[in-house]
Amino acid sequence: MSKNKHPVIIVRKRKKHGHGHHGGSWKIAYADFMTAMMAFFLVMWLITSTTPQQRQSIAEYFQVPLKVALSQGNQSSLSESVIPGGGSDIVQKEGEVNRSTPRDNADIKRLKRARDRLTNMIQTDPRLNNFQSNLRMQLTENGLLIQIIDSQDRPMFKLGSKELEGYLKGIFEALVPVINQLPNRISLTGHTDSIPYVHGDTGYSNWELSADRANASRRALIAAGLGSNKFLRVIGTADSMVLDNEAPDSPINRRISILVLSQNKEKSLISDDSLIENITGHGNIEQIKNELKITPQTNEGVAALEN
């Protein structure tokens, strides 16, 4: 009996080797090198083109970016100092160094005493005692905020008018002696609800009403004995800053706000106008006109516009 012979198959596997510089591994190394060089030059550019405060903010962002985002600030400590502690102590690493001056501390204590005195007066003074629900006081970083709020059954002004009710004048008379004793100036703001006038914003609107009520309150405060030099600003905000967002037409949104300004806030408000002051105080007005491309209007130009 014959046996079937199968052919023998031999499989030889050859290993492929890289061909020197023709391989692809060098490309990865080169890419890493270029990335590192780009990062290096970026760091060098940031060092030469930014201030120390900006570099501190950038460093803190990469250290704790979530903390900066949650605090809605420009750095995690919310301090203008480049030192980690926020003050003159270079070894301070945690927390904020108390950089408030004795003058700032005295200002805060003075406002706190005024708040406490007014709180006691609300309980004892008949001019204020009957209006406890209409008076709100809060000590903020901007100063002592005193708000006189309308209610449905006891409005502070005649309906749709700038005419004060008699009891609002009584409230002002009670507040004036306390405010007069403070060296701080005040910011007076008028607020309205969202109920519009018939002609909307094209005619007399809540903007005019809030400003008129603020100025009427200013005159009433001066008549009650408040020094006219105590006012830093008098503004009307209409219904742009309501207390009750869910009911913008609520009487609670109609109010007069008296902010006894902290010294820091007063300086901040004054510095906001520094650009205008610099322009108006500029000696060479013709140069400013050229820069702004303002040309004086002649009589012929006026006639042409009228025609």
Side-chain angles (χ1 to χ4, degrees):
M1 185 172 75
S2 61
K3 295 181 179 179
N4 294 328
K5 292 183 179 182
H6 299 283
V8 178
I9 300 173
I10 300 175
V11 179
R12 294 180 179 179
K13 294 183 179 180
R14 294 182 179 181
K15 294 183 179 180
K16 295 183 179 181
H17 301 280
H19 298 285
H21 65 279
H22 294 293
S25 59
W26 67 273
K27 297 178 182 178
I28 298 176
Y30 182 72
D32 291 341
F33 172 75
M34 293 302 296
T35 303
M37 289 300 295
M38 185 170 63
F40 171 75
F41 284 115
L42 179 61
V43 171
M44 295 299 292
W45 174 76
L46 287 173
I47 291 175
T48 58
S49 64
T50 56
T51 64
Q53 291 83 357
Q54 290 172 330
R55 291 196 290 271
Q56 175 68 16
S57 299
I58 294 172
E60 288 191 343
Y61 174 81
F62 283 104
Q63 290 172 2
V64 279
L66 182 59
K67 184 178 180 181
V68 176
L70 291 176
S71 64
Q72 297 181 352
N74 54 7
Q75 52 182 341
S76 62
S77 65
L78 297 180
S79 170
E80 297 178 356
S81 174
V82 297
I83 300 172
S88 58
D89 186 2
I90 61 174
V91 299
Q92 177 82 9
K93 297 297 182 183
E94 299 293 337
E96 280 288 326
V97 175
N98 185 6
R99 297 185 294 149
S100 59
T101 64
R103 183 177 178 181
D104 296 334
N105 291 331
D107 186 40
I108 295 172
K109 291 179 181 178
R110 185 164 51 240
L111 293 175
K112 285 182 177 179
R113 287 196 297 268
R115 177 199 60 185
D116 295 340
R117 182 180 173 185
L118 288 172
T119 301
N120 292 331
M121 288 177 60
I122 291 175
Q123 303 295 329
T124 58
D125 194 316
R127 293 171 297 181
L128 302 178
N129 183 261
N130 294 328
F131 302 95
Q132 295 187 38
S133 60
N134 300 92
L135 293 171
R136 294 187 181 183
M137 281 188 299
Q138 182 181 4
L139 193 61
T140 70
E141 61 180 6
N142 295 329
L144 176 60
L145 178 62
I146 307 169
Q147 297 196 87
I148 307 169
I149 301 171
D150 256 9
S151 58
Q152 188 65 42
D153 57 340
R154 186 179 287 166
M156 298 296 158
F157 292 88
K158 302 290 184 182
L159 182 62
S161 169
K162 62 182 179 181
E163 184 180 350
L164 284 70
E165 295 286 1
Y167 38 80
L168 179 55
K169 296 179 182 179
I171 292 174
F172 286 157
E173 291 172 356
L175 297 177
V176 162
V178 179
I179 300 176
N180 263 338
Q181 290 181 353
L182 299 171
N184 308 67
R185 300 171 75 181
I186 68 173
S187 173
L188 185 63
T189 307
H191 305 268
T192 68
D193 56 31
S194 63
I195 300 175
Y197 278 77
V198 176
H199 299 291
D201 291 334
T202 59
Y204 190 89
S205 67
N206 284 328
W207 288 101
E208 285 79 15
L209 179 62
S210 60
D212 287 344
R213 285 181 172 179
N215 268 302
S217 299
R218 175 187 60 82
R219 291 188 291 269
L221 285 166
I222 293 175
L226 187 64
S228 58
N229 61 339
K230 299 287 286 185
F231 295 92
L232 181 62
R233 66 178 184 181
V234 179
I235 57 177
T237 62
D239 59 328
S240 62
M241 301 172 63
V242 296
L243 288 180
D244 190 349
N245 290 317
E246 295 183 358
D249 59 344
S250 172
I252 196 175
N253 297 313
R254 301 193 298 262
R255 65 197 189 280
I256 293 294
S257 298
I258 303 173
L259 178 61
V260 183
L261 297 165
S262 66
Q263 292 179 343
N264 288 334
K265 182 61 178 178
E266 180 179 337
K267 291 177 183 178
S268 174
L269 291 176
I270 294 174
S271 65
D272 288 342
D273 293 334
S274 60
L275 178 60
I276 299 176
E277 292 174 1
N278 290 336
I279 292 177
T280 55
H282 199 287
N284 191 355
I285 192 66
E286 294 300 327
Q287 180 180 349
I288 296 177
K289 288 181 179 180
N290 291 333
E291 292 175 356
L292 299 177
K293 302 194 182 302
I294 298 176
T295 57
Q297 197 173 57
T298 62
N299 292 333
E300 290 80 1
V302 174
L305 290 175
E306 291 177 350
N307 294 331

